[in-house]
């Protein structure tokens, strides 16, 4: 079993509602959970333990946990088998929804009563990624990846990897011949078209005579997508107005944004964490390996003009702030979500306290070290505040609340760091507070870096 994937005895229930991930499925002993909730916990763990890439090395993606949706399906299947959870595992192409004809790779797993569940642990934000579903009507068709189809698909993945290297014209001709043969499986066309485009784009080879062979099929129906966005938007609006089901609100916001970005050609914000990553692909694994801890300078620091002093306490003139950006957790975003309500189980209580200028950044220091700094500065700066009644940003007084008006927040582990760092963009958030945090990632952050 991979070093980052915990055994069942490591899965401790979260039963205290003040804990960040209290609303995860694991609120009692793992063996007492429903089969679906067991799968969801394990899905959460796989997803946050991976690093997403479309430039997959098929020789080691399973070992390194660096890959795409097919990697996630393979890792998930092996993990479930190791833990003896489920049976009749099948990796399948899931084809088409009510709004597109795209192909995804997902895992099928049965319970002891032969009820089949769809398991998608792909570590990026996309439709149904990160969810376990018993409803097989989500997609229009499923094709099991086995036999010759599997062999051809694996060969295509190998070619994709080799195209990142220096190859000869003979290789190119061989690849194009193989792509032509692979067209016998229509389900592979998106992968084939991608490789053909890569040959033309990266190698600068004149292959125009093959263009008619690898003609492109549009996988999106804009009209259908707009209709679906309208349906989801109304449901989200109703939930926000009734202040219900934050988890579903988040799912709807991500679905809406996913389709809107396709329609508009927009993409998620890019974060520079030393290497550039899409925010929709940030996982706790990245924060673990880069030793990054979240720091948030709260509005209460800004109200007294303490913000620069607070920042310097964490940076000390020798550490760089990484991926910094500004916002307000208490204000609605374009979709009507209030990030503070999605930040913590008690976040809804402190929306006003967190409405105001806020800086979020990362620092290359341990969570324990940053936590000690945070505790000291909270005590010191509170002594400089001579009143318990403060004129707030909304021009009304506010009573001092040490729970939230305490100048700065920092993360306790990579799971919290990932969730908190993406909080102002919940529509692009992989790690949410509704997921069960991988205990091995938390342990490794405290005990030292892990290399897998």
């Amino acid at each position: 079993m991979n070093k980052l994937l915990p055994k069942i005895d490591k899965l401790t229930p979260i039963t205290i509602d003040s804990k960040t991930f209290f609303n995860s499925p694991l609120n009692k002993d793992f063996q007492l959970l429903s089969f679906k909730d067991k799968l969801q916990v394990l899905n959460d763990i796989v997803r946050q333990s991976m690093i997403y890439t479309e430039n997959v090395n098929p020789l080691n993606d399973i070992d390194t946990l660096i890959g795409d949706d097919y990697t996630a399906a393979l890792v998930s299947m092996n993990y479930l088998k190791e833990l003896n959870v489920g049976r009749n595992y099948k990796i399948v192409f899931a084809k088409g929804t009510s709004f597109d004809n795209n192909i995804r790779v997902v895992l099928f797993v049965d319970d002891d009563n032969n009820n089949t569940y769809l398991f998608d642990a792909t570590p990026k934000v996309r439709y149904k990624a990160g969810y376990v579903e018993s409803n097989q009507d989500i997609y229009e068709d499923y094709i099991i990846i086995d036999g010759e189809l599997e062999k051809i698909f694996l060969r295509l993945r190998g070619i994709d990897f080799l195209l990142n290297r220096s190859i000869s014209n003979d290789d190119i001709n061989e690849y194009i011949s193989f792509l032509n043969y692979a067209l016998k499986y229509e389900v592979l066309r998106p992968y084939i078209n991608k490789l053909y485009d890569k040959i033309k784009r990266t190698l600068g080879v004149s292959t125009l005579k093959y263009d008619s062979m690898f003609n492109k099929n549009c996988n999106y129906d804009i009209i259908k997508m707009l209709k679906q966005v309208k349906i989801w938007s109304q449901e989200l609006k109703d939930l926000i107005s009734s202040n219900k089901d934050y988890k579903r609100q988040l799912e709807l916001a991500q679905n809406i944004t996913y389709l809107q970005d396709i329609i508009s050609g927009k993409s998620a914000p890019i974060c520079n964490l030393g290497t550039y990553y899409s925010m929709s692909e940030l996982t706790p694994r990245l924060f673990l390996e880069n030793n990054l801890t979240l720091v948030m300078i709260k509005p209460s620091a800004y109200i007294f003009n303490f913000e620069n002093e607070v920042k310097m306490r964490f940076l000390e003139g020798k550490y760089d702030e990484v991926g910094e950006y500004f916002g307000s957790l208490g204000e609605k975003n374009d979709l009507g979500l209030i990030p503070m309500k999605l930040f913590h189980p008690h976040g809804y209580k402190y929306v006003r306290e967190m409405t105001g200028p806020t800086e979020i950044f990362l620092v290359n220091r341990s969570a324990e070290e940053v936590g000690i700094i945070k505790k000291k500065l909270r005590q010191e700066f509170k002594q400089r505040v001579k009143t318990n009644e403060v004129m707030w940003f909304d021009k009304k007084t506010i009573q001092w609340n040490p729970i939230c008006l305490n100048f700065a927040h920092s993360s306790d582990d990579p799971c919290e760091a990932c969730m908190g760092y993406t909080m102002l963009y919940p529509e692009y958030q992989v790690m949410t507070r509704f997921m069960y945090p991988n205990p091995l990632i938390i342990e490794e952050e405290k005990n030292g870096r892990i290399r897998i």
Side-chain angles (χ1 to χ4, degrees):
M1 186 181 296
N2 190 285
K3 293 179 181 179
L4 274 185
L5 300 179
K7 295 182 179 180
I8 289 174
D9 61 5
K10 284 284 188 179
L11 306 181
T12 304
I14 301 174
T15 58
I16 302 174
D17 68 359
S18 61
K19 297 292 185 180
T20 301
F21 301 104
F22 171 72
N23 293 120
S24 75
L26 193 59
N27 50 23
K28 55 187 173 184
D29 186 89
F30 182 82
Q31 300 297 358
L32 298 178
L33 297 177
S34 68
F35 184 74
K36 183 178 180 181
D37 281 346
K38 288 179 181 178
L39 291 182
Q40 188 61 64
V41 169
L42 302 179
N43 186 298
D44 293 346
I45 288 171
V46 171
R47 200 174 185 224
Q48 62 197 273
S49 305
M50 286 185 62
I51 296 174
Y52 183 84
T53 181
E54 293 185 0
N55 297 313
V56 181
N57 182 347
L59 301 178
N60 66 9
D61 60 327
I62 305 303
D63 293 332
T64 61
L65 301 184
I66 302 175
D68 57 7
D69 54 355
Y70 183 66
T71 307
L74 283 172
V75 170
S76 299
M77 181 175 68
N78 294 339
Y79 187 37
L80 294 176
K81 286 182 177 179
E82 287 273 358
L83 299 183
N84 196 29
V85 175
R87 53 199 294 270
N88 298 334
Y89 316 95
K90 298 180 182 69
I91 297 177
V92 303
F93 289 119
K95 181 180 179 181
T97 65
S98 60
F99 51 82
D100 71 11
N101 295 317
N102 270 356
I103 308 293
R104 294 127 171 123
V105 178
V106 301
L107 175 67
F108 275 174
V109 55
D110 290 354
D111 63 16
D112 290 336
N113 297 316
N114 292 324
N115 298 306
T116 300
Y117 293 80
L118 186 153
F119 187 109
D120 184 353
T122 307
K124 69 175 297 183
V125 176
R126 71 174 193 186
Y127 181 62
K128 289 303 176 184
Y131 291 89
V132 174
E133 301 285 354
S134 57
N135 179 11
Q136 294 185 45
D137 293 335
I138 290 171
Y139 298 102
E140 295 175 351
D141 191 21
Y142 299 97
I143 301 171
I144 298 173
I145 304 176
D146 63 0
E148 185 188 44
L149 175 61
E150 180 181 22
K151 292 178 182 178
I152 291 177
F153 181 54
L154 294 178
R155 174 63 172 150
L156 292 176
R157 288 170 67 79
I159 291 173
D160 193 12
F161 176 65
L162 292 172
L163 285 174
N164 296 322
R165 304 185 173 197
S166 177
I167 57 178
S168 68
N169 286 335
D170 288 341
D171 289 329
I172 293 169
N173 291 331
E174 178 188 344
Y175 295 161
I176 291 178
S177 176
F178 183 77
L179 297 185
N180 184 32
Y181 177 78
L183 283 172
K184 65 186 290 187
Y185 292 100
E186 181 63 27
V187 71
L188 295 176
R189 181 172 286 278
Y191 302 95
I192 295 167
N193 287 342
K194 172 191 170 185
L195 293 182
Y196 181 61
D197 280 343
K198 195 170 185 178
I199 289 172
K200 291 197 299 182
R201 184 176 64 254
T202 62
L203 303 180
V205 176
S206 177
T207 57
L208 295 178
K209 63 181 178 179
Y210 296 103
D211 282 350
S212 60
M213 182 186 304
F214 303 110
N215 61 324
K216 308 302 183 292
N217 291 333
C218 179
N219 290 322
Y220 302 109
D221 185 322
I222 301 301
I223 301 300
K224 288 183 178 179
M225 293 172 72
L226 290 171
K227 288 181 178 178
Q228 186 62 61
V229 167
K230 184 176 181 180
I231 292 170
W232 283 334
S233 297
Q234 185 58 56
E235 183 184 352
L236 178 58
K237 182 180 178 180
D238 292 342
L239 288 176
I240 290 174
S241 64
S242 60
N243 200 30
K244 293 180 179 178
D245 201 343
Y246 297 147
K247 182 178 180 181
R248 177 60 177 168
Q249 287 186 34
L250 181 55
E251 180 183 5
L252 289 167
Q254 293 191 345
N255 288 345
I256 291 166
T257 303
Y258 171 72
L259 292 192
Q260 287 180 333
D261 284 357
I262 292 172
I263 294 169
S264 67
K266 183 185 172 184
S267 58
I270 300 299
C271 308
N272 184 1
L273 307 185
T275 301
Y276 288 93
Y277 296 96
S278 168
M279 186 169 285
S280 64
E281 298 169 3
L282 294 181
T283 63
R285 165 80 176 282
L286 287 167
F287 290 76
L288 171 66
E289 293 204 342
N290 290 283
N291 191 31
L292 293 171
T293 296
L294 168 76
V295 175
M296 181 185 297
I297 302 179
K298 294 184 176 184
S300 52
Y302 284 86
I303 205 75
F304 294 104
N305 298 315
F306 292 160
E307 66 272 18
N308 291 329
E309 291 182 76
V310 169
K311 181 188 293 187
M312 287 303 103
R313 294 297 178 93
F314 295 104
L315 302 181
E316 296 184 328
K318 57 183 177 180
Y319 296 95
D320 294 326
E321 55 179 341
V322 178
E324 64 274 12
Y325 68 96
F326 295 84
S328 173
L329 272 71
E331 295 180 9
K332 290 183 178 180
N333 66 10
D334 292 342
L335 290 169
L337 297 179
I338 296 178
M340 193 60 195
K341 293 182 178 181
L342 304 173
F343 181 69
H344 189 276
H346 293 175
Y348 67 93
K349 300 177 182 178
Y350 309 112
V351 171
R352 187 179 173 217
E353 288 88 339
M354 291 302 294
T355 301
T358 303
E359 182 178 4
I360 293 175
F361 64 92
L362 303 166
V363 62
N364 187 238
R365 307 183 73 171
S366 73
E368 181 179 9
E369 186 178 1
V370 171
I372 292 172
I373 294 171
K374 174 183 65 179
K375 183 177 180 180
K376 289 182 178 178
L377 77 81
R378 282 178 171 178
Q379 295 172 344
E380 176 185 333
F381 282 78
K382 178 58 179 77
Q383 292 176 0
R384 293 164 61 179
V385 176
K386 304 301 183 181
T387 177
N388 285 326
E389 190 172 80
V390 179
M391 185 63 68
W392 200 238
F393 292 99
D394 58 8
K395 308 302 181 184
K396 298 177 182 178
T397 58
I398 191 171
Q399 287 298 121
W400 190 265
N401 184 337
I403 294 177
C404 204
L405 298 180
N406 50 19
F407 312 109
H409 166 78
S410 67
S411 57
D412 291 336
D413 55 69
C415 297
E416 282 194 5
C418 183
M419 188 279 294
Y421 181 71
T422 55
M423 196 63 261
L424 285 176
Y425 296 91
E427 65 272 25
Y428 295 116
Q429 190 177 51
V430 173
M431 184 70 195
T432 76
R433 72 170 178 87
F434 304 103
M435 295 168 63
Y436 180 73
N438 184 338
L440 294 188
I441 287 181
I442 293 173
E443 284 185 12
E444 290 299 337
E445 196 281 334
K446 296 182 184 302
N447 298 334
R449 303 281 69 75
I450 190 169
R451 297 299 177 202
I452 65 174

